[in-house]
């Protein structure tokens, strides 16, 4: 039933009724999100890799990003 609804319109209607919500986004949508970029949730490496940063923020030992993650197996299987 919900698959026929536009996610943004449905979220807006629910918010107007006092329901805290937002559309679920895929990784590509998150990477293009102004909110994700502004909050530092997007990591871009010199080699062209772009991904989502660690949600854990530690002031004394912040996360560093030097290498991209290994690629998924072509079969799509997770080891």
């Amino acid at each position: 039933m919900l698959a026929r609804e536009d996610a943004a319109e449905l979220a807006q209607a629910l918010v107007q009724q006092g329901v805290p919500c937002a559309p679920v986004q895929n990784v590509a949508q998150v990477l293009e999100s102004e909110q994700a970029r502004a909050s530092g949730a997007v990591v871009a490496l010199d080699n062209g890799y772009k991904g989502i940063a660690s949600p854990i923020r530690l002031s004394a030992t912040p996360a560093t990003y030097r290498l991209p993650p290994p690629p998924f197996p072509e079969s799509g299987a997770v080891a």
Side-chain angles (χ1 to χ4, degrees):
M1 177 173 87
L2 292 176
R4 296 179 295 211
E5 301 291 332
D6 177 76
E9 290 176 10
L10 181 58
Q12 184 61 34
L14 289 168
V15 168
Q16 289 174 350
Q17 296 298 316
V19 178
C21 66
V24 175
Q25 298 180 329
N26 62 31
V27 173
Q29 291 168 322
V30 170
L31 293 176
E32 296 304 318
S33 162
E34 182 61 36
Q35 181 178 357
R37 286 193 302 269
S39 68
V42 176
V43 172
L45 300 181
D46 291 338
N47 65 1
Y49 171 80
K50 193 173 180 183
I52 299 172
S54 172
I56 300 169
R57 308 290 168 113
L58 302 173
S59 59
T61 55
T64 59
Y65 305 96
R66 298 177 297 275
L67 300 171
F72 283 110
E74 292 208 17
S75 66
V78 178

